[in-house]
Amino acid sequence: MTDADARPHPRHEAIRVVDHPLITHNLTRIRDRDTPSQRFRELVGQVGALLAYEATRDLNLTPVQVHTPLERCEGAQLNQPISIVPILRAGLGFADSIHRLIPDAQVGHIGMFRDEKRLTPVPYYQKTPPAIADGPVLLVDPMLATGGSAAAAIDLLRSCGCRDIRFICLIAASEGVAKLAAHAPGVPIYTAAIDRQLDKNGYILPGLGDAGDRIYGTA
Ligand code: PRP
Ligand code: URA
């Protein structure tokens, strides 16, 4: 993928819609209501890893030397601790595949669900790695709807001292993009799609339905 494949969006300078045929193909399967839970879970993980690939494109490297079986070789390695923080539950659908991409990353968890009437986030769990503030944090959740959950999770990470926070989602609603543009303009958003609007229950249109329910078969 090149930078040209990660387009900015007029409503948020720091949003990147990652445009790639594999992402478009898999996102279409993910949206399809006939895709069964196991396949849905696999596809969400695969697209999450592709989005993380783009979100980590500018990570800092330090030069190192290694010895191949034949001779000395100049190389480079990541020089900061990287953290992956899924917002439970649906964020777990991204966490394992991104962790496989960055096996040395540390993983934190933020538990949050939306109050169904008010559509406001209700936090219920938090566990962050001790060195989380020392490097980039990939905050991951497939759905950005009103943006309330992502904004609350960003506040929580900032209260831990995190400065380099990157939000990765599968689908962003325009309302959520606008909310994060106002609340956290310095936090880049990496997404596979920006969808039209929310319905009266706060679901993204066209969206994919309830991500957590489809991942875990709880619908
Ligand atoms: C979903 C989703 C986000 C949140 C997005 O979680 O995974 O965390 O809604 O909505 P928002 O942008 O309006 O805050 P949900 O509350 O359904 O919990 P779950 O992942 O446990 O199913
Ligand atoms: N959370 C979801 O899982 N889906 C939506 O459409 C909105 C919030």
Side-chain angles (χ1 to χ4, degrees):
M1 269 181 275
T2 65
D3 275 352
D5 297 320
R7 297 190 313 270
H9 185 267
R11 297 188 70 178
H12 191 331
E13 277 182 18
I15 192 162
R16 295 291 178 268
V17 182
V18 185
D19 187 5
H20 188 284
L22 294 178
I23 292 181
T24 306
H25 176 87
N26 286 339
L27 178 59
T28 305
R29 297 270 63 78
I30 288 168
R31 288 187 191 274
D32 189 339
R33 67 180 179 189
D34 291 331
T35 298
S37 181
Q38 182 191 345
R39 187 73 188 125
F40 182 90
R41 216 165 34 245
E42 289 166 358
L43 290 166
V44 166
Q46 285 168 15
V47 176
L50 293 170
L51 293 169
Y53 181 79
E54 193 59 35
T56 50
R57 177 176 289 285
D58 64 342
L59 291 184
N60 293 329
L61 295 169
T62 299
V64 289
Q65 283 185 348
V66 292
H67 295 267
T68 76
L70 299 176
E71 62 178 26
R72 209 168 53 191
C73 167
E74 303 298 329
Q77 65 187 24
L78 297 168
N79 66 7
Q80 286 175 301
I82 300 169
S83 300
I84 303 165
V85 179
I87 302 177
L88 309 182
R89 280 178 307 168
L92 289 174
F94 273 174
D96 282 350
S97 61
I98 298 177
H99 204 186
R100 275 197 293 278
L101 197 66
I102 318 168
D104 291 333
Q106 39 192 14
V107 180
H109 295 89
I110 294 176
M112 224 169 246
F113 65 86
R114 288 197 309 177
D115 177 291
E116 285 183 8
K117 286 210 173 68
R118 297 195 179 96
L119 299 181
T120 49
V122 182
Y124 61 87
Y125 184 75
Q126 174 194 345
K127 183 82 178 176
T128 50
I132 193 166
D134 297 345
V137 180
L138 305 179
L139 178 64
V140 305
D141 188 331
M143 308 307 277
L144 178 69
T146 65
S149 303
I154 289 167
D155 287 347
L156 201 151
L157 292 172
R158 283 178 168 162
S159 74
C160 298
C162 301
R163 289 176 306 280
D164 181 351
I165 304 169
R166 303 155 188 228
F167 183 66
I168 301 177
C169 63
L170 197 54
I171 299 180
S174 287
E175 290 89 334
V177 174
K179 165 92 180 181
L180 290 196
H183 189 82
V187 174
I189 304 172
Y190 294 85
T191 186
I194 299 178
D195 275 12
R196 196 177 69 243
Q197 66 184 95
L198 300 178
D199 73 6
K200 63 179 182 356
N201 299 312
Y203 278 90
I204 301 174
L205 296 173
L208 53 73
D210 188 302
D213 282 347
R214 291 193 66 188
I215 290 170
Y216 294 109
T218 47

